[in-house]
Amino acid sequence: MTPFPQVAFTSNDPDHDAPWAEVPQIFRRPERVLTPPWNDLFEPLRQGLVDELMVIGQLGQSLDGRIATTTGHSKFINGPTGLAHLHRLRAVVDAVVVGIGTALADDPQLTVRMVEGPHPARIILDPRGRLPATARVLANDGVRRLVITAEGTPTRFPEDVEVLALPADDGRIAPRAILSALASQGFRRILIEGGADTVSRFLGAGCLDRLHVMVAPIILGAGYPGLSLAPIKSVDDALRPTVRAYPFGDEVLFDCNLSKLRVPVGRPKKSV
């Protein structure tokens, strides 16, 4: 297996960034062939096996499965190479999704900064309309920004921010309904970036095709877990996806194929 770059080179370093620079464009053209080392990991993300959607979950965690300390501190569990992989995922998807907890706690930009590639549309799951209009994720930088709220929720976002109001149960919107709504907006490749609760809900609902877990060589000992699913009675009931491991410097990426568990959602209305 071809090793992946061990340093997060930026677009300011063209000699080292060149092997990746054309990948996002090639990725979106099915007649073009991805070359090593990118083909092994990114080829499966081009087309879903269940319907025309490809939904990828992403987590960065410690060796003991933690995404943050008990105080909520998480910057940065993963190193530059692991973070560069996250930005590469952003560069090849149509949209990146985060829950309101992550949006409020981290005030993320959700842009592609560490590698070459286009910024994805930014989707914030905000059933109760808590996201401030000043959040960086809503910055007008030329890409689409959508906030998904519960029906009947009053909102005060800038006029150029799209709002999708969906049915909610006890303040939560079903992952399948979210994906169906995003498909109706033309999004085909969707990255569920965080936080852990959001990724866990999509996984538990059978709404992920792949799960990328980047494990850093640190042990926190306590803190917030990466995944929290419904309890099972026996190890025999555990999820057993097909998994491949990829070394990224001193970190390891686990690429989990969940396509056998994915429920059908629908087809995108149009291409983005």
Side-chain angles (χ1 to χ4, degrees):
M1 183 179 298
T2 305
F4 284 84
Q6 297 188 16
V7 179
F9 297 112
T10 70
S11 58
N12 293 325
D13 193 346
D15 292 338
H16 290 101
D17 199 43
W20 168 261
E22 294 185 357
V23 172
Q25 180 180 3
I26 296 173
F27 180 86
R28 289 174 168 83
R29 298 177 61 181
E31 75 278 7
R32 299 285 300 275
V33 177
L34 292 173
T35 57
W38 316 112
N39 58 324
D40 201 35
L41 184 55
F42 287 90
E43 181 64 35
L45 307 183
R46 277 180 145 176
Q47 179 68 49
L49 300 179
V50 178
D51 47 35
E52 292 187 15
L53 297 183
M54 165 55 64
V55 189
I56 310 139
Q58 186 279 151
L59 284 173
Q61 66 180 41
S62 64
L63 283 172
D64 52 342
R66 309 292 182 178
I67 62 163
T69 68
T70 54
T71 65
H73 186 259
S74 61
K75 293 185 181 295
F76 287 104
I77 287 177
N78 294 109
T81 306
L83 293 174
H85 174 68
L86 171 58
H87 283 238
R88 290 187 181 107
L89 286 178
R90 292 177 185 174
V92 299
V93 298
D94 302 323
V96 56
V97 176
V98 297
I100 183 60
T102 296
L104 293 177
D106 298 342
D107 194 19
Q109 294 176 268
L110 302 184
T111 57
V112 178
R113 303 182 304 280
M114 297 185 71
V115 300
E116 290 282 353
H119 301 314
R122 301 190 290 273
I123 318 294
I124 305 90
L125 308 181
D126 185 17
R128 296 185 173 91
R130 294 189 290 154
L131 186 70
T134 56
R136 294 197 300 175
V137 75
L138 297 181
N140 186 355
D141 57 0
V143 304
R144 292 179 70 182
R145 290 142 294 139
L146 294 86
V147 179
I148 296 180
T149 68
E151 290 180 335
T153 299
T155 59
R156 293 184 178 180
F157 298 119
E159 293 183 357
D160 54 357
V161 173
E162 302 171 61
V163 177
L164 296 178
L166 302 178
D169 182 9
D170 193 25
R172 291 201 162 193
I173 303 171
R176 191 171 181 178
I178 293 169
L179 291 183
S180 180
L182 293 180
S184 72
Q185 294 294 313
F187 299 111
R188 185 158 68 92
R189 300 185 187 95
I190 302 166
L191 174 63
I192 311 298
E193 184 171 320
D197 179 65
T198 299
V199 175
S200 296
R201 291 184 61 233
F202 274 77
L203 174 59
C207 287
L208 294 181
D209 294 281
R210 316 288 291 206
L211 175 64
H212 283 194
V213 181
M214 185 70 75
V215 179
I218 60 173
I219 298 174
L220 298 184
Y224 294 95
L227 292 172
S228 296
L229 302 176
I232 58 176
K233 295 181 179 180
S234 167
V235 173
D236 295 334
D237 299 323
L239 299 179
R240 297 181 183 272
T242 302
V243 177
R244 299 188 69 180
Y246 298 85
F248 278 72
D250 60 357
E251 300 183 78
V252 177
L253 173 68
F254 291 89
D255 172 23
C256 309
N257 185 350
L258 300 164
S259 58
K260 292 183 179 180
L261 305 173
R262 227 268 268 144
V263 298
V265 175
R267 296 182 176 182
K269 184 176 181 180
K270 59 183 179 180
S271 179
V272 174

